[in-house]
Amino acid sequence: MNPVIRQQLEKAYEAHLSGRLNDAEMIYNSILNNDMENPTILYLLGNVYSQKGYNGTAVNMLVNCLNAKPDFQEAWIDMGVALKKENKDDLALAAWERAESLGPHHEIYVNQATLYADSGDPEKAIPLCDKSINMLKEDDEKSLPALASAHWNKALALLSLRRWKEAWVEHHWRKKLKDVWHPRKEIDASEWDGKSVDNLYLHGEQGKGDEVMYLSMLKDCLHLAKNIVVELNDAVAPLLRMMEYPNVTVVTGQKEANDLGIKFDAKYALGDLGFLFRNDEKDFDGMAYLKADPERVDHYRNELNKLGPGPYVGIAWIGGTKTTKIHKRTIGLNRWNKLLDGITAVSLQYGDFGEPEANKYGIPSFGEASNGKDLLEQAALIEACDYVVTVAQTAVHLAGALGKKTYVMVCETPSWRYGAESTGNKMPWYESVELIRQAKGEEWESVLDRVNAIIKQDEKVAA
């Protein structure tokens, strides 16, 4: 290779590894101008475009790369990754199978594990994770991110199967993944061991729904610390403040916590509390642990009464993002006709698409605050309703934490929070939540018909 080109490539690769993708892309393209069929450059550019979310471009780069070098295993692996990001699971699996035909590789197995876990088959995911783990060394710094990813995927599969004790051990590995774990470095304290301390710092992580769910374990900590400071998302913090625990202070950031002037003895993530307190199904009581503002509840009850007779049902029909299967978790309101005929519905749907679609189908909405922008406001609306009917999204956790009777329409390939099909129709976290699972190949209208029948039976019993 020309020494100048080699120097350019080294500079680009350094930028690539450090996350400066635009710099790497510019240099790779400059090299490609002079060597248009270089499979290594095409592969590296494909990797950059996939990381940037341009998966169509990535796939085309990788196709050209593989046309020039069909036995380029890493390119087949990246091809599968880009395809899976666009929810083309069958094509992704075929790409990884082609990669495996060229020899064993730990990335193949962890990627296949992710696909199976995401497609509702966590039993297949676990041995693939183990296969990847067994190929990597924990004391090898270069392989540590890949090893952590394999353990993390194993944790999610075990959580889906509700094999709690095993799962929480693997769950700790997320702390070695920079895109998943955000350590609270500004809090000068060691990790909590679950023993009694004077001042304990707990912090949330992941999404708002997860923070709400993990708060169910706060009660297990109350007797183990004289003072507890809990750091939460801005939207979640007001919910915990409503509880007025005498030894709990709620903050929304590390600076706010340090400004309290407290010397913390220990810190711990809310997501790790399961390791201490939820190792068996019997450890979950499922009881309500949050409450809504009574004045706002009365306000929404008055507003609901103006809409007509009950039952009053808060509904949400969109869940997730592109990367968290929004296409599988969303049920357009055009499918809700039969259910909507028998109830007085009100929107709980967050996001830019919620209110326009609610308006289109004549579903009342009390504004973006009660649709989820302000969880304290949404909690009051949920409490004012008789039921919640929703897809898998934050409203599930909020309604469950309040103890509101909730029916969740769960797609056939749900996240771990809803458990694999074999785990049944209850969420251990929330006694009031019932899962209405979509069978393989079942249309959503059929699932909605089942919800409709259940609510009618509930109303008949209540009468």
Side-chain angles (χ1 to χ4, degrees):
M1 181 181 288
N2 182 302
V4 175
I5 298 296
R6 182 181 297 278
Q7 187 176 25
Q8 281 184 298
L9 182 57
E10 288 174 356
K11 185 178 179 181
Y13 194 61
E14 181 185 357
H16 193 161
L17 289 178
S18 65
R20 293 182 286 113
L21 299 180
N22 289 338
D23 292 343
E25 177 190 358
M26 182 177 66
I27 300 171
Y28 288 147
N29 274 309
S30 176
I31 297 172
L32 196 65
N33 285 340
N34 296 297
D35 192 357
M36 295 184 182
E37 297 181 359
N38 186 312
T40 299
I41 302 303
L42 289 166
Y43 160 70
L44 291 169
L45 268 171
N47 186 278
V48 165
Y49 288 128
S50 181
Q51 287 188 58
K52 292 177 75 171
Y54 305 142
N55 294 301
T57 303
V59 167
N60 278 281
M61 285 286 179
L62 293 166
V63 165
N64 287 330
C65 165
L66 290 163
N67 284 338
K69 188 177 180 182
D71 61 349
F72 198 153
Q73 187 181 47
E74 288 80 1
W76 283 111
I77 293 171
D78 275 19
M79 173 81 81
V81 171
L83 289 164
K84 185 181 183 303
K85 286 180 179 179
E86 296 302 318
N87 301 304
K88 300 182 184 300
D89 291 357
D90 290 344
L91 292 174
L93 191 58
W96 291 327
E97 287 173 348
R98 179 70 176 85
E100 190 175 11
S101 73
L102 299 169
H105 195 293
H106 66 87
E107 283 189 37
I108 299 170
Y109 305 123
V110 76
N111 286 328
Q112 288 174 329
T114 302
L115 187 148
Y116 285 124
D118 284 350
S119 61
D121 202 350
E123 290 92 346
K124 283 186 178 179
I126 293 169
L128 287 164
C129 289
D130 286 336
K131 203 169 183 178
S132 182
I133 289 165
N134 291 335
M135 295 179 70
L136 297 163
K137 295 179 180 179
E138 191 170 341
D139 58 359
D140 180 357
E141 189 173 339
K142 287 185 178 179
S143 69
L144 192 57
L147 182 63
S149 180
H151 279 286
W152 171 237
N153 278 281
K154 185 177 180 180
L156 298 181
L158 288 166
L159 286 167
S160 290
L161 295 168
R162 297 181 181 167
R163 290 163 57 178
W164 302 110
K165 190 170 185 176
E166 300 167 76
W168 296 127
V169 172
E170 300 290 336
H171 195 249
H172 285 301
W173 279 87
R174 75 197 187 288
K175 297 177 182 179
K176 300 183 186 298
L177 296 168
K178 63 181 181 179
D179 294 334
V180 174
W181 177 248
H182 303 286
R184 298 318 196 258
K185 293 181 179 179
E186 294 177 31
I187 303 300
D188 183 19
S190 57
E191 185 167 81
W192 192 36
D193 60 6
K195 297 178 181 178
S196 295
V197 294
D198 285 338
N199 299 307
L200 175 63
Y201 187 81
L202 298 175
H203 61 87
E205 56 176 320
Q206 301 172 50
K208 292 184 289 186
D210 285 328
E211 285 196 0
V212 171
M213 182 175 73
Y214 292 140
L215 279 177
S216 63
M217 297 182 282
L218 177 61
K219 59 179 176 286
D220 297 87
C221 307
L222 296 177
H223 69 290
L224 293 171
K226 292 180 180 177
N227 299 296
I228 301 176
V229 174
V230 184
E231 177 207 321
L232 295 170
N233 181 286
D234 288 354
V236 180
L239 293 167
L240 184 56
R241 291 191 181 113
M242 278 294 299
M243 301 307 293
E244 298 180 340
Y245 290 117
N247 64 331
V248 174
T249 302
V250 184
V251 298
T252 57
Q254 296 173 80
K255 182 180 184 305
E256 187 180 348
N258 282 324
D259 286 346
L260 297 172
I262 296 172
K263 170 59 180 172
F264 292 105
D265 301 300
K267 59 184 175 182
Y268 209 56
L270 289 175
D272 280 332
L273 291 176
F275 177 77
L276 298 174
F277 304 121
R278 299 291 183 272
N279 284 295
D280 191 274
E281 204 79 0
K282 69 179 187 301
D283 296 334
F284 294 80
D285 64 21
M287 296 295 102
Y289 53 91
L290 294 179
K291 63 183 181 183
D293 181 337
E295 289 187 8
R296 298 307 296 163
V297 174
D298 287 343
H299 164 76
Y300 284 115
R301 282 185 177 143
N302 289 332
E303 292 301 310
L304 288 170
N305 285 333
K306 295 175 185 177
L307 298 177
Y312 302 110
V313 183
I315 67 170
W317 56 94
I318 302 172
T321 63
K322 180 179 176 180
T323 57
T324 57
K325 298 188 288 193
I326 188 172
H327 65 297
K328 291 189 175 181
R329 291 164 56 182
T330 294
I331 309 175
L333 284 177
N334 60 308
R335 299 182 170 208
W336 289 61
N337 293 340
K338 189 180 291 187
L339 177 63
L340 294 177
D341 282 345
I343 64 173
T344 296
V346 62
S347 174
L348 298 173
Q349 182 58 55
Y350 58 71
D352 294 338
F353 298 106
E355 194 150 353
E357 191 171 9
N359 291 335
K360 179 179 177 182
Y361 288 92
I363 306 300
S365 171
F366 296 136
E368 61 180 10
S370 62
N371 286 343
K373 186 172 184 179
D374 182 333
L375 292 187
L376 192 58
E377 201 73 13
Q378 189 177 44
L381 177 54
I382 287 173
E383 186 60 44
C385 290
D386 297 306
Y387 307 96
V388 168
V389 176
T390 178
V391 295
Q393 58 136 277
T394 302
V396 174
H397 303 288
L398 190 50
L402 293 166
K404 180 60 58 178
K405 188 64 180 175
T406 301
Y407 297 105
V408 187
M409 293 171 289
V410 181
C411 72
E412 58 184 292
T413 58
S415 75
W416 70 265
R417 297 155 189 84
Y418 302 92
E421 184 180 5
S422 60
T423 63
N425 295 327
K426 298 298 291 184
M427 289 184 81
W429 306 92
Y430 316 114
E431 180 62 31
S432 67
V433 172
E434 184 172 344
L435 307 177
I436 313 299
R437 294 187 183 275
Q438 180 188 39
K440 188 173 183 180
E442 183 180 17
E443 295 294 334
W444 281 120
E445 286 85 350
S446 174
V447 179
L448 282 156
D449 284 348
R450 285 192 274 141
V451 176
N452 187 27
I454 292 169
I455 290 179
K456 284 183 177 178
Q457 181 60 30
D458 288 346
E459 287 296 290
K460 185 177 180 181
V461 171

